[in-house]
Amino acid sequence: LAWRNGVSVTQVCFEDVEAAGRRIGGVAVQTPLLENDDINSLLKRRVLFKPECLQVTGSFKFRGAYNRLAQLSDAERAAGVVAWSSGNHAQGVAAAAAKLSIPAIIVMPSDAPRVKMENTKALGATVLPYDRKTESREEIATALSVERGMVLVPSFDDPHIIAGQGTAGIEIAAQAKEAGVTLDDLIVCCGGGGLVGGISIAMKALSPQTRVFSSEPMSFNDTARSLAAGERLGNAPDAESICDALLAPMPGKMTFPINLANLSGGFAVSEEAVKEAMRLAYKTLKLVVEPGGAVALAALIEHEKTIAGDTVGIVLSGGNVDPALYAEIIGGK
Amino acid sequence: LAWRNGVSVTQVCFEDVEAAGRRIGGVAVQTPLLENDDINSLLKRRVLFKPECLQVTGSFKFRGAYNRLAQLSDAERAAGVVAWSSGNHAQGVAAAAAKLSIPAIIVMPSDAPRVKMENTKALGATVLPYDRKTESREEIATALSVERGMVLVPSFDDPHIIAGQGTAGIEIAAQAKEAGVTLDDLIVCCGGGGLVGGISIAMKALSPQTRVFSSEPMSFNDTARSLAAGERLGNAPDAESICDALLAPMPGKMTFPINLANLSGGFAVSEEAVKEAMRLAYKTLKLVVEPGGAVALAALIEHEKTIAGDTVGIVLSGGNVDPALYAEIIGGK
């Protein structure tokens, strides 16, 4: 157990991430670490991409969800699970539940991307839509959990979820080593902070010389500001962004101390840089990346000069984007 | 040397493909072999994808071009190379020439996809546009070759090009083995037949139980018909297809005997199945695949019932597609 400013920062330790890696082995995809000559030329350094858009359900969220659900008791499995999510966590929980034959109910905003809602249903989960403006997803999910004895699966503030997301970090460290590369910097998208937190734990153990940064949309830069302030700060209640996967109101109670201890800082990016990153992924990497999945690449584009490393890792966290929006963005220039 | 119907079928042998593999090692990308749960469920078997859209220049063509250019003498390198291509071979030659500091001129149809023309120029090659309806690319390129002593780099009828494309097959066989999988069938897109020919040589040596098939657009099904007839047959001169990468008029003189000896048959697919395959790659695989790169997946969609294997490999050969066309296709349903 380590402490900083009187706050426990290791509710999740590296051994938990390693155990999660064993649990998801052979079930999750070990996504590759990709490098592209044209991107290297354009961004004037070596850039290594971890494309979690190639993960089961098209985002990293499956890692944490499976690690959580695989540890439920038989009685808990029989009662089922409930989660709320705008989309990627929904699909992650639904897919993990399907693989483990656990019933799942997902509370989703009625304006969630259609592709995410459809995929969640296709995976066999029951989708319960709610109105983001008039209803509380927490209340709906908690009521279900209490009434039916279902296990609530949080999207980031849970040690098993954080450990599961951290398995991407174990892979990054091993794959970089195999490629003969030492990452100077690693940039990871950040909503509630589970992915970057989990990855930071793995990197601290396996590649301690690598600086790990979060990246967020400018209007949801709560983690960047909180890291600078040393305390949890929230976003404006009326904030908006095309990054539907990254709309958490403030850093997590459990994720923030981890990130405060482990991260070298947080980037915030404009909506235009997000779109530019999606176009670059389309045109050069040939990868479909959703807005929230493109913020780490957007940080490298927009903050090129303040990122010191010669070798930078970028996590592309998801690729679930409605065709109409995608068509508009890639055609937009 | 092996013979069939009095025709030499091994102008390229497995040792040539192995040597090519050593030559392109560390220069070309070793693209991953990807599997996706949702695709497996949808197509009711295990499907393993070789995404050559992730290759240098966004298509497999770099493999053959680099293998050819790396073997030029100093005098030949100084004189430079000339090639004709609607796009992917153009970029492959341009990128290989840039890496080896060889001047390159590429003769391209003036109506080639913009992205392919721009990328070829960006790689430092000189692009010479010609009018497909009134001019002959062969004459223009041959004249340049004769006048300036430049080496002509064919897009498929060349043993070094075929051997280079075959390196994808070496990787597929090794990666399938590593994944503990034996491929029953492997479907590869086919224009002039260099990729499928080269891959067939590798598979015959490394995975002889795997049946290798070509796939073509219905209107350019020259290889399928030629394989059935046992002789080289051409396409209708006014044939059209959205698969701009696969518009070869007939099977190659050098590639056809290889394919006749090694392939188990050829599929032909509708334009609608090509678009459906592109949408599936977008929605589920999160990969950007161009029309010509999607014909092997289209064959699995359209001929699902005639493809016997429980485990099928699919080569996605390229991802260079103009945003406007891509937007239209993915939004089209």
Side-chain angles (χ1 to χ4, degrees):
Chain A
L1 221 65
W3 295 80
R4 174 164 161 171
N5 301 334
V7 179
S8 158
V9 293
T10 48
Q11 299 205 32
V12 184
C13 60
F14 178 59
E15 286 67 29
D16 298 325
V17 184
E18 279 187 308
R22 287 189 294 273
R23 232 167 260 129
I24 69 165
V27 184
V29 171
Q30 186 181 316
T31 55
L33 194 65
L34 300 173
E35 190 171 1
N36 183 288
D37 285 352
D38 293 335
I39 299 268
N40 287 353
S41 302
L42 187 71
L43 298 173
K44 302 177 199 74
R45 66 191 92 202
R46 289 189 74 173
V47 187
L48 288 103
F49 292 95
K50 183 70 172 171
E52 282 293 299
C53 45
L54 306 180
Q55 187 52 264
V56 177
T57 72
S59 98
F60 72 95
K61 289 284 191 182
F62 177 74
R63 295 175 184 269
Y66 189 86
N67 187 48
R68 179 75 183 86
L69 268 57
Q71 294 179 75
L72 294 179
S73 68
D74 287 349
E76 286 172 323
R77 290 184 188 212
V81 295
V82 59
W84 66 76
S85 160
S86 71
N88 283 335
H89 180 57
Q91 293 174 74
V93 171
K99 278 184 196 287
L100 296 162
S101 305
I102 298 173
I105 299 177
I106 317 285
V107 181
M108 295 184 79
S110 46
D111 62 349
R114 248 186 77 185
V115 62
K116 293 181 176 179
M117 207 176 259
E118 283 170 6
N119 288 350
T120 306
K121 286 181 193 166
L123 287 160
T126 304
V127 170
L128 211 64
Y130 76 99
D131 184 330
R132 280 204 297 146
K133 283 165 196 156
T134 60
E135 298 181 282
S136 156
R137 58 190 190 177
E138 289 86 345
E139 280 174 22
I140 297 170
T142 306
L144 273 169
S145 164
V146 171
E147 282 163 24
R148 307 199 192 178
M150 297 175 94
V151 176
L152 206 56
V153 182
S155 60
F156 51 85
D157 257 346
D158 177 296
H160 305 304
I161 296 287
I162 297 168
Q165 320 303 29
T167 59
I170 293 184
E171 292 174 17
I172 291 168
Q175 290 166 324
K177 197 174 173 186
E178 202 185 310
V181 169
T182 303
L183 293 176
D184 298 315
D185 299 306
L186 176 62
I187 311 177
V188 186
C189 73
C190 182
L195 179 64
V196 68
I199 287 178
S200 75
I201 294 166
M203 296 306 281
K204 216 172 173 98
L206 300 173
S207 183
Q209 67 276 52
T210 303
R211 293 177 293 256
V212 181
F213 295 88
S214 59
S215 183
E216 300 166 299
M218 203 77 88
S219 51
F220 283 80
N221 66 346
D222 51 301
T223 292
R225 286 184 294 110
S226 300
L227 288 172
E231 60 173 330
R232 291 165 67 224
L233 302 173
N235 298 305
D238 60 346
E240 289 189 0
S241 168
I242 53 164
C243 301
D244 62 272
L246 304 179
L247 307 186
M250 70 188 305
K253 284 179 193 164
M254 198 172 288
T255 53
F256 183 65
I258 296 171
N259 289 328
L260 185 62
N262 292 354
L263 302 199
S264 295
F267 293 106
V269 298
S270 68
E271 303 281 292
E272 196 36 61
V274 170
K275 293 179 190 173
E276 187 58 37
M278 288 174 70
R279 280 191 286 267
L280 190 59
Y282 161 78
K283 190 185 164 201
T284 306
L285 292 173
K286 312 301 178 190
L287 292 173
V288 178
V289 180
E290 65 180 277
V295 290
L297 178 55
L300 192 50
I301 293 172
E302 201 161 61
H303 302 283
E304 195 185 336
K305 286 176 187 162
T306 63
I307 297 169
D310 289 327
T311 305
V312 178
I314 295 288
V315 178
L316 301 168
S317 53
N320 295 311
V321 47
D322 277 335
L325 176 63
Y326 193 69
E328 189 190 311
I329 290 173
I330 63 164
K333 210 176 182 180
Chain B
L1 221 65
W3 295 80
R4 174 164 159 169
N5 301 334
V7 178
S8 159
V9 295
T10 48
Q11 299 204 32
V12 183
C13 61
F14 178 59
E15 288 66 29
D16 298 325
V17 183
E18 280 187 307
R22 287 189 293 273
R23 232 168 259 128
I24 70 165
V27 184
V29 171
Q30 186 181 316
T31 56
L33 195 65
L34 300 173
E35 191 172 0
N36 183 289
D37 285 352
D38 293 335
I39 298 268
N40 287 352
S41 302
L42 187 71
L43 298 173
K44 302 176 199 74
R45 65 191 94 201
R46 288 189 75 173
V47 187
L48 288 102
F49 292 95
K50 183 70 172 170
E52 282 294 297
C53 45
L54 306 180
Q55 188 51 266
V56 177
T57 72
S59 98
F60 71 95
K61 289 284 191 182
F62 177 73
R63 295 176 183 269
Y66 189 85
N67 187 49
R68 179 76 183 85
L69 268 56
Q71 293 180 76
L72 295 179
S73 69
D74 287 350
E76 287 172 322
R77 289 185 189 212
V81 295
V82 58
W84 67 75
S85 160
S86 71
N88 283 336
H89 180 57
Q91 291 173 75
V93 171
K99 279 185 195 286
L100 295 162
S101 304
I102 297 173
I105 300 178
I106 317 285
V107 182
M108 295 185 78
S110 46
D111 62 348
R114 249 185 77 184
V115 63
K116 293 181 176 178
M117 209 176 257
E118 283 170 4
N119 288 350
T120 305
K121 286 180 193 167
L123 287 161
T126 303
V127 170
L128 211 64
Y130 76 101
D131 184 329
R132 279 205 296 148
K133 283 166 194 153
T134 60
E135 298 182 281
S136 155
R137 57 190 191 175
E138 288 86 345
E139 279 174 22
I140 297 170
T142 306
L144 274 169
S145 164
V146 171
E147 280 163 26
R148 307 199 192 179
M150 297 175 94
V151 175
L152 206 57
V153 183
S155 60
F156 51 84
D157 256 346
D158 178 294
H160 305 304
I161 297 287
I162 297 168
Q165 321 302 30
T167 59
I170 293 184
E171 292 174 17
I172 291 168
Q175 291 166 324
K177 196 174 173 185
E178 203 185 309
V181 169
T182 302
L183 293 176
D184 298 315
D185 299 307
L186 176 61
I187 311 177
V188 185
C189 74
C190 182
L195 179 63
V196 68
I199 287 178
S200 76
I201 294 166
M203 296 307 282
K204 213 169 174 98
L206 300 174
S207 184
Q209 67 276 54
T210 303
R211 293 177 293 256
V212 180
F213 294 88
S214 59
S215 183
E216 299 166 299
M218 204 77 88
S219 50
F220 282 81
N221 65 347
D222 50 302
T223 292
R225 285 184 294 110
S226 300
L227 288 172
E231 60 172 331
R232 291 166 68 223
L233 302 173
N235 299 306
D238 60 346
E240 289 190 0
S241 168
I242 53 164
C243 301
D244 62 272
L246 305 180
L247 308 186
M250 70 189 306
K253 284 181 195 165
M254 198 172 288
T255 53
F256 183 63
I258 296 170
N259 289 328
L260 185 61
N262 292 353
L263 301 199
S264 295
F267 293 106
V269 298
S270 68
E271 302 282 290
E272 196 36 62
V274 169
K275 293 180 188 173
E276 187 59 36
M278 289 174 70
R279 280 192 286 268
L280 190 60
Y282 161 78
K283 191 185 165 202
T284 307
L285 293 173
K286 312 299 179 193
L287 292 173
V288 178
V289 180
E290 65 180 277
V295 291
L297 178 55
L300 192 51
I301 294 171
E302 201 162 60
H303 300 283
E304 196 186 334
K305 286 176 187 161
T306 64
I307 297 170
D310 289 327
T311 305
V312 178
I314 295 288
V315 178
L316 301 168
S317 53
N320 295 311
V321 47
D322 276 336
L325 176 64
Y326 193 69
E328 189 190 312
I329 290 173
I330 62 165
K333 208 175 180 178

